[in-house]
Amino acid sequence: MPNIGIPGLILVLIIALVIFGPSKLPQLGKAVGQTLKEFKTSTRDIINDEEKEEVKSEVKETELEKK
């Protein structure tokens, strides 16, 4: 994803202000923030699950090697 920069960010905010109006902008910001938070949480959970599976498979391999 390319960097937007300050001018691009200002342009996006102005367009959002025109489309949604000043009364809906805080609600929109809150919704976007909650969505990003849920996305980060889900991503973290998936990574943790994968790491747990790797550890389990390594433990099984070492147990098989000991036998």
Side-chain angles (χ1 to χ4, degrees):
M1 188 165 116
N3 293 335
I4 294 175
I6 299 295
L9 185 61
I10 291 172
L11 181 63
V12 168
L13 290 174
I14 290 172
I15 292 172
L17 183 62
V18 169
I19 292 174
F20 297 107
S23 62
K24 294 283 185 182
L25 220 48
Q27 294 172 354
L28 182 66
K30 183 178 179 181
V32 169
Q34 288 176 344
T35 303
L36 287 174
K37 181 179 177 183
E38 290 176 12
F39 179 75
K40 285 181 181 181
T41 302
S42 298
T43 305
R44 192 177 315 120
D45 290 343
I46 290 171
I47 291 172
N48 288 338
D49 289 344
E50 289 293 323
E51 289 174 351
K52 287 178 185 177
E53 289 297 321
E54 288 178 18
V55 169
K56 285 181 183 179
S57 65
E58 289 176 4
V59 168
K60 285 182 181 178
E61 286 177 6
T62 53
E63 287 178 355
L64 289 175
E65 289 175 0
K66 289 181 180 178
K67 291 181 181 181

